[in-house]
Amino acid sequence: MATKKEKPVVCAILAAGQGTRMKSQTPKVLHKLCGKPMIDHIVQTTKKLEPARVYLIVGFREELVRQFFGDGVYYITQSQQLGTGHAVLQARDELFGYKGDVLVLYGDVPLVTEATLRSLLDRHRETCASATLVTTRVKNSSGFGRVVRNRSGRIVKIVEEKDATPAQRRIREINPGMYCFEAPSLLDALTEVGASNKQQEYYLTDVIEVLVKKGKKVETITTADEIEILQVNTRKHLAQVNRIMHERVLERLMNDGVTIIDPKTTFVSETVKVEQDVTIYPFTYIEGYTHVGAGTIIGPQTYITDSVIGSNVVIVMSYISSSIIRDNSRVGPYSHLRPEAIVGENVHIGNFVEVKKSVIDDNSKVNHLSYIGDAKIGKNVNIGAGTITANYDGVKKSETVIEDGASIGSGTVLIAPVRVGKKAVTGAGTIVPKSHDIPPNAVFAGVPARELKPHEQNS
Ligand code: UD1
Ligand code: CA
């Protein structure tokens, strides 16, 4: 963002609070919205402004927040949560000597948009203010700090709801918590903020009054958007914001040519990419880094996360995680694809089939009631109903290989490690002991499996 004329900007996002009103052992900012922690939405939005740094002020169970972002942001610890002003003050060493701007945001206001932050920054720079903040006029101002102005309309201070007089409570212009400060003015003012208020906290909002009293320039921009400023203080808020985020994603998808049969019961995360002419039936979740190819039909009642789904695939009533399904395949109803299931083109995975860490290559079929784990299944293989790859001997997992064109009879148990050769056949109910590989083109049956000679094969 820093060009020759512009001052640099860093972002500080407050994420140290427990979020008492959430009644949770998880820090509030890690509660998920649209499939990812609420703080991640804010961090990703601020990163669009290309700030020199993004600082997260962390405290309550900070290890969890650090674990989520890793090296993607800078951390500042606020060991005791003594208020939003105290939180920002913890950045004083980091910001010491820094003459640029600081964008300060709260970690519980996840719908904030890049456009609003840009207008805030632009206004701040145009007016060369010491502080600029967003304000919003709302119908219901409860839960927000109120913006107090003088007769000539200049901002005087922000009053927290708990400290407001009845007249101040009636003010409809609120503080959504999006600020841009000149760093030295911010640090200077913060040292003058006390905690003699109802909550006995050091309020960041008091910085405004301090700056005004010092004769510093404080500017505001007023947005009309009542949605963007929604904060998450309670689980009810979490559900409301989650709903709004999903609606936004679905609207974008519909604009891009995706059919959503019932937006009220369909949940697609922001991170999901969906191509044209995909149809999503009700009661379906698609989350994580999932890609869905053109013309695919998903649902009803399907859950997919972190998976790559090809074009013209049909997935009905199934649960799929960290898997790949290539073009023209059919999955379900009632299939479970666990991590590292790789399904080729034109494959059929049918009802009550579980696949884990296995490859099922093109044109193969596993239509009914089977478990395929740690297996490599070639092309044009037919797996009969009730086939089990017994991959676990109680100590270690072993691999089953079924080569191209093989046909596995119903109820076959393949005790791994074992290999079935090309075009080999097993009869119904065969139990193949471990390491008893079946050669190509052979027909095996029985318990334990033995080779059937041609004259025995039709019995
Ligand atoms: C704050 C504002 C209020 C504004 C509202 C907008 C103050 C004093 N009040 O109130 O004017 O209308 O947000 O959403 O700033 N946090 C810390 N350390 C702390 C305290 C809080 O990091 O010591 C973090 C929290 O984790 C949270 C954010 O700051 O992400 C906001 O704190 P919260 O307690 O929700 O502030 P509000 O009472 O909602
Ligand atoms: Ca809040």
Side-chain angles (χ1 to χ4, degrees), residues 14-18 21 28-29 57 78 80-84 86-87 106-109 143-145 158 160 175-177 179 199 201 203-205 229 231 233:
L14 276 56
Q18 175 175 7
R21 290 164 279 183
K28 175 163 75 173
V29 295
I57 320 283
Q78 183 196 20
Q80 270 185 297
Q81 286 77 59
L82 303 180
T84 50
H86 179 260
Y106 297 139
D108 64 348
V109 186
F144 290 98
I158 295 169
E160 287 309 292
N175 166 37
Y179 320 82
Q199 305 187 81
E201 284 184 2
Y203 293 159
L204 173 62
T205 41
I229 57 139
Q231 53 173 330
N233 289 333

